[in-house]
Amino acid sequence: MAPSVQVVGFIDMDCFYVAVERVRDASLRGLPCAVVQYNTAVRGAPDLLADMNRIRQGHDAMGGIIAVSYEARARGVTRQMSGKEALKICPDIKLVQVPTGFGKADLRIYKAAGEEVVALLSRRADATEKRSVDEVAIDITSEARRLIRERDWATDLLPKAKGVSHLADSAVSRKAAAVSRESTRKGHEGQLKIQADAGGTHDDEDAAWEHLLSRTTSDNQPDPACCVQKLLVAGAIVIAELRAQVKDSLGFTCSGGVATNKMLAKLGCGLHKPDQQTVVLPHTVPLLMRDLPLDRLAGLGGDFGEHIKAAFGISTVGELLATPRHDVIRALPERGEWLCAFASGKDSAVDPVKDRHLTKSLSNCKTFFGSNRLTKPEEVNHWLEEFAGELHLRYVEEVKHHQRAPTTLCVSIGTGGGHGSGPAYWEQEQHTKQQSIDLGRRGTVFQISTNAKACFRKWHRGVKEVPLAITSLGLSLTGMVQIESRVSITSYFAAAASVPTSAQDSASATATVEAVEAAREGVVAIAPLARKSGPIAHFFRGAPVKRTASKSDLILEPGSQIDEAVLAELPWDIQLEVRAQTQRQTDAGRESLSAVKKPRRFGEVRTGNLVAKITID
Ligand code: TTP
Ligand code: CA
Ligand code: CA
């Protein structure tokens, strides 16, 4: 059975920010509703926290719409309208303001909700690739194969899939594929209109299901094409079950696509919305691509796409495919071959699903057009400080939930566009400056903001004769690395022995020292030990809990069995304290160190609410 085929599911959440607000406030369900983004042009506008009443009416309805419920779409409301425009055409619309903090939108509630979805979907996936705040591609090949093995095709899998999925072989699908990128960005009016425009029903889809059944159950098996079709249909059941789970446990509806690669699966996902899913079988791809605007394909929406359109005088994928292949390759010697394969939907031209659950970077940016342009370094520094405050919160969450910390800080600066009679905003020039940053587990806002300001100064020194006119400013933390949770006592002390006095970097570790926050019972990594010997506080350096520096706070767990070999590796003052405590416990009738019958290479010491477990591999 087609061994190399990948079954890819793609999920896009329906009117996502609205959906998140509806889970937080059930009174918004079923009503026309939109999320508007706060206009922070006015410096010092108050923070509007996620838990506050953020419903805006009348004159309070500032800002532009960024997410629209399907009820509001049916009334003509689109993204990019202002809240006031929406109220004019839909007076009963509920407008919810995005939370704000640090003088700008605070999107953490939406990001957290997106991560919950990713975590749920990944349970049945071979690989899970988070593509954006509300989109995920998953490799569900193993699950699809399992269903084919375990369940009957003709009486179970196919009829069930038909009940929960669309096929892309239909007029409705083709109509949805032909929608312009601009319309999709605005949040087009939805499926009802597309369906009406396409001439109504899904009768042609029923015929396609019948055709599929007869092909896949005929005698001339095994036909490799049938195997692929069966796998995709089984994948549709997996996706339907996952979508139902997302709805039941998180309260969000989403749309899904299933295909042999993530480009086609994403395309399928957008064909029937909301709360529906579509399977793109390989033989339907050419028809689907025929009227698909070129810029709807990932990577062809920007300059490269514009270049292709201009070079061949085309605007759809179908037109590109109709262009003689050698002309395409002659005009684009480096990428022509790939482009032809990509536009045909070939799996080989699309990356497989990467296993990437987590965000690659934490970033923040803001635009300052017209009179809001930043013209003084102090203004830039002010915003970098604001960004640093917000990024710090997200960094702390990243450390807490995923034990990851960024290693690079990047400041991006847009200049030149959108002022007076000067160039238009799209003629902005973008500049970036970056430097490495060592936040580790306990980085501060100050560290982020001083590094950011230093980056800006470096850039500004190079352009200082030009008057400052900054139209966009961004700050990001990237280069996420897993924070070391295991530290070698042995290698640490070996290194320490050769440099006996100074602080050591013990990142090259093999045995483990784990600091455990006793209250949470979760393992919290201890930062590298800093000294060969010294006060006990050094032993706990970097542990994210309050601690005291006094040795008298060191508490040996009652009944702890201490391995002498482990103990011998510890700084001498800890050894002394552990021995003293063991002695006290012995005196109190507890088991003594010398009475350990079966030494385990494990020890545990506690200070305050922190326990350090020590083992040697
Ligand atoms: P989308 O997936 O583009 O749209 P949507 O989820 O609101 O609606 P649909 O049902 O059509 O998929 O974007 C996801 C979220 O990202 C959206 O809810 C709000 C946010 N967003 C912006 O803030 N600005 C934008 O320009 C876009 C396109 C989205
Ligand atoms: Ca969406
Ligand atoms: Ca999306």
Side-chain angles (χ1 to χ4, degrees), residues 12-16 134 273:
D12 181 293
M13 308 308 293
D14 298 325
C15 55
F16 189 48
D134 82 328
K273 282 174 120 325

Side-chain angles (χ1 to χ4, degrees), residues 226-286:
C226 285
C227 292
V228 176
Q229 288 169 339
K230 284 181 172 182
L231 275 173
L232 292 177
V233 168
I237 293 178
V238 177
I239 287 296
E241 289 170 358
L242 284 170
R243 288 179 43 243
Q245 243 179 312
V246 168
K247 196 170 180 175
D248 290 347
S249 38
L250 303 176
F252 305 127
T253 67
C254 57
S255 303
V258 182
T260 55
N261 66 56
K262 63 192 178 196
M263 184 265 271
L264 292 175
K266 178 178 163 74
L267 181 61
C269 180
L271 299 180
H272 295 87
K273 282 174 120 325
D275 201 12
Q276 297 169 75
Q277 64 177 54
T278 309
V279 186
V280 182
L281 298 175
H283 69 268
T284 56
V285 175

Side-chain angles (χ1 to χ4, degrees), residues 12-18 37 66-68 70 73 79-80 107 132-135 184-185 187-188 255 273-274:
D12 181 293
M13 308 308 293
D14 298 325
C15 55
F16 189 48
Y17 285 14
V18 171
Q37 182 139 339
I66 55 170
V68 196
Y70 280 78
R73 293 182 202 196
R79 182 184 282 138
Q80 291 167 344
L107 306 177
S132 77
V133 69
D134 82 328
E135 290 174 21
T184 57
R185 271 193 60 76
H188 53 83
S255 303
K273 282 174 120 325

Side-chain angles (χ1 to χ4, degrees), residues 184-230:
T184 57
R185 271 193 60 76
K186 278 187 184 163
H188 53 83
E189 295 105 292
Q191 209 57 37
L192 286 177
K193 183 167 185 316
I194 291 171
Q195 195 168 324
D197 289 354
T201 67
H202 281 93
D203 289 350
D204 50 352
E205 214 179 82
D206 288 342
W209 280 110
E210 287 306 316
H211 180 65
L212 181 64
L213 179 65
S214 68
R215 256 199 93 178
T216 50
T217 48
S218 66
D219 295 338
N220 57 348
Q221 300 239 22
D223 167 1
C226 285
C227 292
V228 176
Q229 288 169 339
K230 284 181 172 182

Side-chain angles (χ1 to χ4, degrees), residues 168-170 173-174 177-178 264 267-268 271 280 284-292:
D169 336 22
S170 73
S173 289
R174 286 193 289 280
L264 292 175
L267 181 61
L271 299 180
V280 182
T284 56
V285 175
L287 257 186
L288 209 55
M289 292 293 194
R290 196 185 62 192
D291 297 326
L292 185 76

